[in-house]
Amino acid sequence: RHQKFIQEKAKKKRELLGSMFFPRTPVLLLNFSDAKKCEEYADILDGMEAIKLTTLILTPKNFKNLKSGKFLHYITDDKEKSALVAADFALIWDSDISSVSKHGCVPIAKTNGDETVDYNPLLEKGNGFYYKDINKWEIFAAIVRACETYQFPYDWENLIKGILGS
C-alpha cells in the first residue's frame, strides 16, 4: 500500500507541476481560499520562496496582489483534491486534520489536544507538525520542521505510515 501511495503522489506532482518535476521534492499546500487569511498571512510566501519550498497555493477567485516566485504555484479550487494528493504536507486553518490526512498529506495545524500529536523523530510518534498560537512565526517554524523531517526518508515514511494507518 505504501509503495502505491508514493507512486500516486509522484504522478500527481508531475500532473500539477510539469513532467520534469522531480517527485522527491517536497511540496506544501497552502489553502488561502479565505481572502482574509490570504491577506493576513501573505508574507509567509516570502518564507517559502526563501527556503525554496515548492508551494501550491489555493487562492480566492479574482484575488489580486499575489506574490510571484519560482517556487510559488497558484491553483484554483477545482484542483484542490489533486493538490492534496500531490502535496506532502498542508497548512490547514481549522482543526479537522483528517481532511488532509486521508489523502496521505501531513497536516501542519494548530494544536487541538489529543488528536494532534507533534511528530517526534526520536520516539517515531506523532501525526503532523503543530503550533500553539496562530501567528506567522509559529506557522513558519512548523513548516520548517516538516521540511527538515522530509529530508530523512526513514522518519518521513514512518510518519506517512502512521497517517495512512499501515
Side-chain angles (χ1 to χ4, degrees), residues 54-70:
T54 301
T55 307
L56 300 172
I57 306 152
L58 275 171
T59 57
K61 290 180 176 144
N62 302 321
F63 189 78
K64 304 292 183 214
N65 303 324
L66 298 173
K67 298 178 183 214
S68 62
K70 180 179 177 183

Side-chain angles (χ1 to χ4, degrees), residues 117-137:
V117 180
D118 205 26
Y119 184 70
N120 182 332
L122 297 176
L123 300 175
E124 297 179 5
K125 292 189 179 186
N127 63 352
F129 299 91
Y130 301 101
Y131 48 89
K132 291 182 181 164
D133 297 314
I134 296 180
N135 68 60
K136 62 186 170 189
W137 298 115

Side-chain angles (χ1 to χ4, degrees), residues 12-75:
K12 285 294 181 186
K13 283 181 180 183
R14 288 189 168 133
E15 283 176 16
L16 285 172
L17 298 164
S19 62
M20 296 303 290
F21 188 79
F22 182 63
R24 187 65 185 121
T25 302
V27 175
L28 169 69
L29 174 64
L30 288 177
N31 187 341
F32 275 179
S33 56
D34 174 351
K36 184 179 179 196
K37 292 255 189 277
C38 191
E39 289 175 6
E40 190 174 348
Y41 295 98
D43 52 348
I44 286 178
L45 299 178
D46 291 332
M48 301 307 96
E49 192 68 16
I51 64 173
K52 298 179 171 87
L53 177 60
T54 301
T55 307
L56 300 172
I57 306 152
L58 275 171
T59 57
K61 290 180 176 144
N62 302 321
F63 189 78
K64 304 292 183 214
N65 303 324
L66 298 173
K67 298 178 183 214
S68 62
K70 180 179 177 183
F71 299 96
L72 306 177
H73 304 272
Y74 295 93
I75 56 175

Side-chain angles (χ1 to χ4, degrees), residues 55-124:
T55 307
L56 300 172
I57 306 152
L58 275 171
T59 57
K61 290 180 176 144
N62 302 321
F63 189 78
K64 304 292 183 214
N65 303 324
L66 298 173
K67 298 178 183 214
S68 62
K70 180 179 177 183
F71 299 96
L72 306 177
H73 304 272
Y74 295 93
I75 56 175
T76 56
D77 289 341
D78 61 323
K79 293 185 180 176
E80 181 176 9
K81 186 173 181 198
S82 292
L84 274 170
V85 174
D88 297 294
F89 29 87
L91 176 62
I92 54 175
W93 302 103
D94 58 23
S95 60
D96 182 19
I97 63 169
S98 64
S99 63
V100 297
S101 298
K102 71 180 179 185
H103 296 287
C105 192
V106 176
I108 298 172
K110 187 175 186 320
T111 300
N112 72 353
D114 293 337
E115 184 184 39
T116 56
V117 180
D118 205 26
Y119 184 70
N120 182 332
L122 297 176
L123 300 175
E124 297 179 5

